[in-house]
Amino acid sequence: IPELVEDGKTGWLAEVGDSNSLAEQLIRLKNDGNLRNQLKIAAADKVKHFSKSHTAKDTLTVYRDLLA
């Protein structure tokens, strides 16, 4: 889901059907606690932009801009 995952920052994107790449990424995460923590923090910050209140605020801004 490229809209949610910033490749290398909040997680990794893998090509559909590329099970070797996915397995390598999972093994890397399993073995690197610091990397897991960095991705977790970045992902938690990113997902805030998809909360109900943030989405409602953005939608309201679009409506106001259209009415102006």
Side-chain angles (χ1 to χ4, degrees):
I1 306 171
E3 295 82 13
L4 295 175
V5 177
E6 292 180 66
D7 196 36
K9 183 176 179 186
T10 61
W12 290 297
L13 298 172
E15 292 294 321
V16 174
D18 189 352
S19 58
N20 288 332
S21 175
L22 180 59
E24 288 172 7
Q25 293 168 356
L26 290 172
I27 291 168
R28 185 174 171 200
L29 280 176
K30 176 188 170 283
N31 294 330
D32 191 338
N34 289 330
L35 178 60
R36 280 193 314 269
N37 195 47
Q38 290 172 0
L39 292 174
K40 177 182 77 172
I41 291 168
D45 186 52
K46 175 83 174 184
V47 84
K48 289 177 188 175
H49 298 285
F50 294 93
S51 69
K52 289 179 194 175
S53 61
H54 196 279
T55 302
K57 181 180 172 185
D58 287 348
T59 302
L60 189 56
T61 298
V62 169
Y63 288 157
R64 285 184 176 146
D65 290 346
L66 290 171
L67 291 171

